[in-house]
Amino acid sequence: MTRQRRKHQTKHRPKQVRKPYIDRKIGALPVLSEEGLELIEANADRILAEVGMEFRDDPEIIAIFAEAGCDIDGERVRFAPGFCRKTIQATAPAEFTQAARNPENSVRIGGNATVLCPSWGPPFVHDEDQGRRYATHHDFINLVKLHQTIPYLHHSGGVVCEPVDLPANKRHLDMLYAHIRWSDRPFMGAFIGAERAGHALDMARILFGRDMVDTSPVLYCVSNTNAPLVMDAHMSGALKTYARAGQPVACTPWTLTGAMSPATIAGTLAQVLAEAMASLTLVQLIKPGAPCLMGSFASTMSMQSGAPTFGTPEAGQMILAAGQLARRLAVPLHTVGTLSASKRSDAQSQQEGTWGLLMSLFAGANLINHATGWLEGGLVTSFEKTMMDADLCGKISRFFEGIDLSENAQAMDAIAATGPGQHFLGSDHTLANFYSALFRPDLADNNSFEQWSSEGGLDMTQRANALWKERLEAYQDPGLDPAIDEELQAYIRQKKEEKPDADFF
Amino acid sequence: MTRQRRKHQTKHRPKQVRKPYIDRKIGALPVLSEEGLELIEANADRILAEVGMEFRDDPEIIAIFAEAGCDIDGERVRFAPGFCRKTIQATAPAEFTQAARNPENSVRIGGNATVLCPSWGPPFVHDEDQGRRYATHHDFINLVKLHQTIPYLHHSGGVVCEPVDLPANKRHLDMLYAHIRWSDRPFMGAFIGAERAGHALDMARILFGRDMVDTSPVLYCVSNTNAPLVMDAHMSGALKTYARAGQPVACTPWTLTGAMSPATIAGTLAQVLAEAMASLTLVQLIKPGAPCLMGSFASTMSMQSGAPTFGTPEAGQMILAAGQLARRLAVPLHTVGTLSASKRSDAQSQQEGTWGLLMSLFAGANLINHATGWLEGGLVTSFEKTMMDADLCGKISRFFEGIDLSENAQAMDAIAATGPGQHFLGSDHTLANFYSALFRPDLADNNSFEQWSSEGGLDMTQRANALWKERLEAYQDPGLDPAIDEELQAYIRQKKEEKPDADFF
């Protein structure tokens, strides 16, 4: 390449601007007809009216439903057909913004926006150097930092791994602090129980100021049901705390087809919709207008072993249908991303993960948990898979920008000037579009076999191993106001001193 | 599990019926608006009118276009705006059936039907035992047999690998014979030059009978342009031979964004559409009503190295748009599947391959070449990747069956009978749907870490290595009428004796 060309390219190299969320220019894909959707909705209504849902060990919740006129039978609540839909549609917002401490990173949740979050929940981590091991607080901080280096993740997430070296009853404080301190993106609140949710709100007030927390979403809560048709007090406790504070709650039935829901898809969908609507109704009864999402984490099961399976055709169908159902409720959709049952960051992890993330995007999901790193059915966060999935998140971000139809993109002059049988490699148009025309993943090897061999013949997993270490090395501390930092640390010290350590929840 | 339950399951185990093609119950995903489509179509028309296309070294083709009233300038042909579209839409069939020698395996091409074909063209093969090596006739036969064992492949394909141990000018005879002898599915004709296309027709006449070949599609031809805007005599020679015989031709521009087409997507799409329309017009001028497909093999390029790249966001956008453009022409869409630039059957191969195949299905493609096995940018057919991709083909087949909304699938009685907080594992509904409810891939490992470890801790690539050998072992010869076999062998002997071996095309 000549010196002149190199100069040309440099001149046109655009500054990469990180986008705080995906603004989808490509629509969602329907899987059910109008008739099919009405059938699922009618069945969900029948389930809510005839079977109902149990809210266990939380009399306050039962009282809320009783006051709203629902049919109460002990802990069982039954809903008149149409009641839930009407209640949700009357006051639940179709979209909202979750603020980040760096306002450039605040995320829109709803409409055509999609927000990608990292892995959530695994007690183990895996990397190719040390293998599979229990996760620690050190791993947690490394993951928060690593995620902060990935431009295609929009959210710092929540339990990026379980730091099992910290006491189970206090570690939520250290996790919240790590997100606040080492990332400047939005993050999730503590999910289990009213007390921890309260701690998250306290810490958010220190970070954002009380006024802002009172008026804006600054935390994000996922509330799972205990399918089928149960919500326990851990979940309802967190749900009511966040809802009262006007903080968003993703009402997310987690089902395992054939175990926690019927073996068939239509049955599972009706149950998922019923559980989600009962939870969303609860949010709106507690605080009309509080932000909330319909969630769906509908997994399938191996009929040989009973183990959860991921990246399956049925999971794909279910998330596309859930997207349609959420849009008809006019609430945003929360779901899951690159799930895999694989034990390694291998071919299976990418076949299943790519399938899952693409399906969630085609479903029009608004927030996608586990967009990176999730392995072994959620038992492991993998450092290598995190980097592979990050490439996939980048591809998806570019894909959903849609096709540029500008005069430059049409390239009619370039086609005329090049003519039949010539090539575009040296054309002015190619040089002018050199840096911006095509997405560049970090880990795909496109070199010749010979060059690849001479560079060690590394597979993608091995290249990912080098990349996450490079990225951690290059991590840039976003900094934190020392006064806030001190106040947060004092708060955490105080809360830790209030009770003894315990190794159970 | 009790004896009674086991019996129950066995009773309900359905006989697996292989489907000859995918009948998509889920629609295609649009990427361009009506306005965007009209823009690309107008640009394609302008390219055809102002730049035109060159048909090289084939005066017969020029004469055909001249007679149709096109503007001829040496080998350059220019088309009045709208002429190509009108010509194609007047006579090209929207769908057709390609017959297989086993009528149960005949494939519908067009509408909601999708036909999956194996890898095409690689001079190398790869397996984990012997590594990467030049492909041989032995490999070719093994691949044909392996593909025949995969229920989710619908077509035996063409050059599943290049048997480089056979003379280049005669190997097409051995390849055609291998498809006819070892598979009973449809197959492709020889693509390069009129003479070889004639041999394929002769062999099809021996197999199917002259009458059937005269009246039914029994071969499938892919005709690539030499982008930009050129067709050479090798391609036009085969195209005209098949078109005259009423055999389907997939008119498939192969472009590399930034090299053989503009660096931008909108420009590439206009060029692809122009080249495809010129080729489709040629087919219809040669024989009005001859079956033909609009093809698109629009790849992207690494802007660092100039190497082709696969599974990219832009390739995804282009195939979705090509699907819309083909439907507006009312011809079926031909495209490509699990492409990857990876050198190994690793995570990259599945991230890129899953992306590519899903995009082609979401584009509503009717025939997908390279649905399995393709590695290293098309230089390698991999035995392991073939098996991984076969699982993906199976998943896709199940996914596109859509959601069953029958009373059994709705499972309302099962939900009522199970009730809140109970599980569905032992319910009659689960047992009755045990075998059919969920797709079972062959290679996904869903076991616990402990079980997986105790079974050797194999990754997906290693499991695939065992599986393809098992499958080859279990291959069942579909048999061939000895009289036909003898006639075919005599024909091949005769053709081989007609000229000396040569190691060039």
Side-chain angles (χ1 to χ4, degrees):
Chain A
M1 202 173 276
T2 65
R3 184 176 298 244
Q4 203 192 342
R5 281 205 193 149
R6 260 200 225 100
K7 204 171 144 197
H8 194 101
Q9 288 159 20
T10 312
K11 199 178 71 185
H12 284 262
R13 183 163 205 165
K15 195 169 165 269
Q16 229 187 347
V17 181
R18 181 180 168 273
K19 293 179 182 142
Y21 52 84
I22 297 173
D23 182 15
R24 279 177 281 115
K25 305 292 189 203
I26 300 175
L29 183 70
V31 63
L32 285 175
S33 66
E34 176 70 24
E35 210 178 19
L37 291 165
E38 282 170 8
L39 179 75
I40 301 297
E41 287 171 345
N43 286 350
D45 262 5
R46 254 189 70 199
I47 293 168
L48 288 170
E50 295 173 14
V51 185
M53 180 144 163
E54 281 183 14
F55 293 83
R56 292 185 179 165
D57 307 317
D58 195 339
E60 193 185 3
I61 298 292
I62 302 295
I64 290 167
F65 282 125
E67 201 186 311
C70 300
D71 174 29
I72 309 295
D73 176 10
E75 295 186 319
R76 184 87 66 106
V77 183
R78 291 185 176 82
F79 304 84
F83 172 77
C84 289
R85 177 169 299 271
K86 209 178 118 198
T87 305
I88 297 161
Q89 288 180 334
T91 52
E95 66 169 80
F96 59 90
T97 296
Q98 183 189 353
R101 69 173 169 105
N102 177 348
E104 285 182 8
N105 293 338
S106 295
V107 292
R108 188 158 76 87
I109 296 177
N112 291 327
T114 297
V115 173
L116 302 178
C117 307
S119 183
W120 194 95
F124 298 95
V125 291
H126 185 281
D127 68 64
E128 292 292 313
D129 303 315
Q130 297 184 67
R132 181 191 195 256
R133 60 190 194 279
Y134 275 107
T136 63
H137 188 217
H138 179 71
D139 293 316
F140 191 100
I141 291 172
N142 272 348
L143 283 168
V144 170
K145 289 179 176 177
L146 187 60
H147 298 151
Q148 169 83 0
T149 72
I150 297 173
Y152 313 114
L153 282 174
H154 308 113
H155 207 281
S156 197
V159 185
V160 294
C161 65
E162 273 283 351
V164 299
D165 54 342
L166 299 180
N169 63 336
K170 297 179 181 175
R171 64 174 75 131
H172 61 285
L173 297 162
D174 301 284
M175 292 193 271
L176 286 161
Y177 177 77
H179 285 296
I180 294 171
R181 175 64 191 89
W182 304 113
S183 165
D184 62 355
R185 297 182 183 167
F187 57 95
M188 296 187 180
F191 292 4
I192 300 176
E195 186 191 35
R196 290 176 202 178
H199 295 167
L201 281 166
D202 287 341
M203 290 175 74
R205 288 182 188 113
I206 295 171
L207 177 64
F208 291 101
R210 181 168 288 270
D211 285 359
M212 178 145 179
V213 175
D214 284 350
T215 54
S216 308
V218 298
L219 292 169
Y220 186 97
C221 170
V222 182
S223 177
N224 292 132
T225 56
N226 313 76
L229 298 165
V230 173
M231 182 179 285
D232 67 28
H234 287 306
M235 284 297 160
S236 62
L239 180 146
K240 66 189 176 191
T241 306
Y242 288 114
R244 275 189 187 123
Q247 298 301 319
V249 179
C251 299
T252 309
W254 180 57
T255 57
L256 205 53
T257 300
M260 294 148 77
S261 71
T264 48
I265 304 315
T268 296
L269 282 171
Q271 182 189 311
V272 164
L273 181 59
E275 294 181 13
M277 285 206 301
S279 310
L280 288 162
T281 298
L282 178 57
V283 171
Q284 293 308 310
L285 291 177
I286 290 171
K287 177 160 176 154
C292 52
L293 300 88
M294 170 169 158
S296 177
F297 189 163
S299 295
T300 47
M301 190 177 80
S302 161
M303 287 301 201
Q304 289 102 319
S305 66
T309 57
F310 302 99
T312 62
E314 298 83 10
Q317 292 173 341
M318 287 192 280
I319 189 55
L320 293 187
Q324 292 180 277
L325 295 166
R327 285 190 289 282
R328 287 161 70 97
L329 275 177
V331 292
L333 176 69
H334 166 105
T335 192
V336 290
T338 57
L339 309 189
S340 176
S342 184
K343 266 54 75 184
R344 290 282 310 280
S345 303
D346 66 348
Q348 180 183 348
S349 84
Q350 287 305 302
Q351 184 183 91
E352 294 178 343
T354 304
W355 178 284
L357 189 61
L358 270 179
M359 289 294 176
S360 291
L361 263 296
F362 286 136
N366 299 106
L367 189 134
I368 299 180
N369 213 356
H370 320 297
T372 57
W374 211 77
L375 261 189
E376 216 190 299
L379 288 175
V380 167
T381 300
S382 154
F383 284 80
E384 282 81 17
K385 183 162 178 287
T386 295
M387 301 318 295
M388 297 179 190
D389 295 341
D391 264 359
L392 190 61
C393 292
K395 282 187 203 181
I396 273 172
S397 303
R398 173 61 72 98
F399 175 82
F400 278 95
E401 287 175 11
I403 296 178
D404 175 7
L405 294 175
S406 66
E407 204 169 311
N408 170 62
Q410 291 177 56
M412 291 298 281
D413 292 346
I415 293 171
T418 301
Q422 305 305 309
H423 68 74
F424 291 80
L425 284 169
S427 86
D428 284 345
H429 183 264
T430 299
L431 294 174
N433 288 279
F434 189 88
Y435 279 104
S436 57
L438 302 171
F439 176 73
R440 302 180 180 205
D442 288 308
L443 284 173
D445 187 292
N446 304 305
N447 290 332
S448 68
F449 178 79
E450 291 71 21
Q451 190 173 343
W452 173 78
S453 300
S454 77
E455 288 170 1
L458 303 179
D459 68 17
M460 193 193 218
T461 310
Q462 294 169 304
R463 298 193 298 272
N465 178 261
L467 185 61
W468 70 258
K469 288 181 266 188
E470 252 173 56
R471 286 293 168 83
L472 262 188
E473 198 71 30
Y475 163 81
Q476 291 187 318
D477 183 351
L480 182 64
D481 180 331
I484 290 174
D485 196 356
E486 208 169 295
E487 197 178 339
L488 282 169
Q489 297 203 38
Y491 176 85
I492 292 170
R493 262 196 312 275
Q494 183 205 322
K495 288 294 151 195
K496 286 188 175 176
E497 282 162 10
E498 281 175 7
K499 57 170 80 174
D501 293 355
D503 272 342
F504 47 82
F505 283 104
Chain B
M1 201 175 276
T2 65
R3 184 176 299 243
Q4 201 191 345
R5 282 210 191 145
R6 260 202 223 97
K7 203 170 146 197
H8 194 103
Q9 289 159 23
T10 312
K11 199 178 71 185
H12 284 262
R13 183 164 204 166
K15 197 171 163 263
Q16 228 187 351
V17 181
R18 180 180 168 273
K19 294 180 181 142
Y21 51 84
I22 297 172
D23 182 14
R24 279 176 282 115
K25 306 291 189 204
I26 300 176
L29 183 70
V31 63
L32 285 175
S33 65
E34 176 71 23
E35 210 178 21
L37 292 164
E38 283 171 9
L39 179 75
I40 301 296
E41 287 171 346
N43 285 350
D45 263 5
R46 256 188 70 198
I47 293 168
L48 288 170
E50 295 172 15
V51 184
M53 181 146 161
E54 281 184 15
F55 293 84
R56 292 185 180 164
D57 307 319
D58 195 338
E60 195 186 4
I61 298 293
I62 301 295
I64 290 166
F65 282 126
E67 201 185 314
C70 300
D71 174 31
I72 308 296
D73 177 11
E75 295 185 319
R76 185 86 66 105
V77 183
R78 290 185 178 81
F79 304 84
F83 171 79
C84 290
R85 177 169 298 270
K86 208 177 118 198
T87 306
I88 297 161
Q89 288 180 334
T91 52
E95 66 170 81
F96 59 92
T97 296
Q98 183 188 352
R101 69 174 169 103
N102 177 348
E104 285 183 8
N105 294 338
S106 296
V107 292
R108 187 158 76 88
I109 297 178
N112 291 329
T114 297
V115 174
L116 301 178
C117 308
S119 183
W120 194 95
F124 298 95
V125 290
H126 184 281
D127 68 64
E128 292 291 313
D129 302 315
Q130 298 183 67
R132 181 191 194 256
R133 60 191 194 277
Y134 275 106
T136 64
H137 188 218
H138 179 72
D139 293 315
F140 191 101
I141 291 171
N142 273 349
L143 283 169
V144 169
K145 289 179 175 176
L146 187 59
H147 298 151
Q148 170 83 0
T149 71
I150 297 173
Y152 313 114
L153 282 174
H154 309 114
H155 207 279
S156 197
V159 185
V160 295
C161 64
E162 273 285 355
V164 299
D165 55 340
L166 299 179
N169 64 336
K170 297 178 181 175
R171 64 173 75 131
H172 61 285
L173 298 161
D174 300 284
M175 293 193 272
L176 285 161
Y177 177 77
H179 285 295
I180 294 170
R181 175 64 192 87
W182 305 113
S183 166
D184 62 355
R185 297 183 183 167
F187 56 96
M188 296 188 182
F191 292 3
I192 298 175
E195 187 191 34
R196 291 175 201 180
H199 295 166
L201 282 166
D202 287 343
M203 291 174 73
R205 288 182 188 112
I206 296 170
L207 177 64
F208 292 100
R210 180 168 290 270
D211 285 358
M212 178 143 177
V213 176
D214 284 350
T215 55
S216 306
V218 297
L219 292 169
Y220 186 96
C221 170
V222 181
S223 177
N224 291 130
T225 56
N226 313 76
L229 298 165
V230 172
M231 181 178 284
D232 67 27
H234 287 306
M235 285 296 160
S236 63
L239 179 147
K240 67 190 177 191
T241 306
Y242 289 114
R244 272 185 191 127
Q247 297 301 319
V249 179
C251 299
T252 310
W254 180 58
T255 56
L256 204 53
T257 300
M260 294 148 76
S261 71
T264 49
I265 304 316
T268 296
L269 283 171
Q271 184 189 311
V272 164
L273 181 60
E275 293 181 13
M277 287 207 299
S279 310
L280 289 162
T281 299
L282 178 57
V283 172
Q284 294 308 310
L285 292 176
I286 290 169
K287 178 160 176 155
C292 52
L293 300 89
M294 171 170 157
S296 177
F297 189 164
S299 295
T300 47
M301 189 176 82
S302 160
M303 286 302 201
Q304 287 104 318
S305 66
T309 57
F310 302 98
T312 62
E314 298 84 9
Q317 292 173 339
M318 288 192 281
I319 189 56
L320 293 188
Q324 291 180 276
L325 294 166
R327 285 189 289 282
R328 286 161 71 97
L329 275 177
V331 292
L333 176 69
H334 165 105
T335 192
V336 291
T338 58
L339 309 190
S340 177
S342 185
K343 266 55 74 182
R344 292 283 308 281
S345 304
D346 66 347
Q348 180 183 348
S349 85
Q350 288 306 302
Q351 184 183 90
E352 294 178 344
T354 304
W355 178 284
L357 189 61
L358 270 179
M359 289 292 175
S360 292
L361 263 298
F362 286 135
N366 300 105
L367 189 134
I368 299 180
N369 213 356
H370 320 296
T372 57
W374 211 78
L375 260 190
E376 215 190 299
L379 288 175
V380 167
T381 300
S382 155
F383 284 80
E384 283 82 16
K385 182 162 178 287
T386 295
M387 300 319 294
M388 297 179 191
D389 294 341
D391 264 359
L392 190 61
C393 292
K395 283 187 204 183
I396 273 171
S397 305
R398 173 60 74 98
F399 175 82
F400 278 95
E401 286 176 11
I403 297 178
D404 176 7
L405 294 175
S406 65
E407 204 168 312
N408 169 61
Q410 291 177 56
M412 290 298 282
D413 291 346
I415 292 171
T418 301
Q422 305 305 308
H423 68 74
F424 292 81
L425 284 169
S427 86
D428 285 345
H429 183 266
T430 299
L431 294 173
N433 289 280
F434 189 87
Y435 279 104
S436 58
L438 302 171
F439 176 73
R440 301 182 181 204
D442 289 307
L443 284 173
D445 187 291
N446 303 306
N447 290 332
S448 68
F449 178 79
E450 291 71 20
Q451 191 171 342
W452 173 79
S453 300
S454 77
E455 288 171 1
L458 303 179
D459 68 18
M460 191 192 220
T461 310
Q462 293 169 306
R463 298 193 300 271
N465 179 262
L467 185 62
W468 71 257
K469 287 181 267 190
E470 255 173 54
R471 287 292 168 83
L472 263 187
E473 198 71 29
Y475 163 82
Q476 290 187 318
D477 183 351
L480 182 64
D481 180 329
I484 289 175
D485 196 355
E486 208 169 295
E487 198 179 339
L488 281 169
Q489 296 203 38
Y491 175 84
I492 293 170
R493 263 196 311 277
Q494 183 204 321
K495 288 294 152 195
K496 285 187 175 177
E497 282 162 8
E498 279 176 9
K499 56 169 80 173
D501 293 356
D503 271 341
F504 47 84
F505 284 103

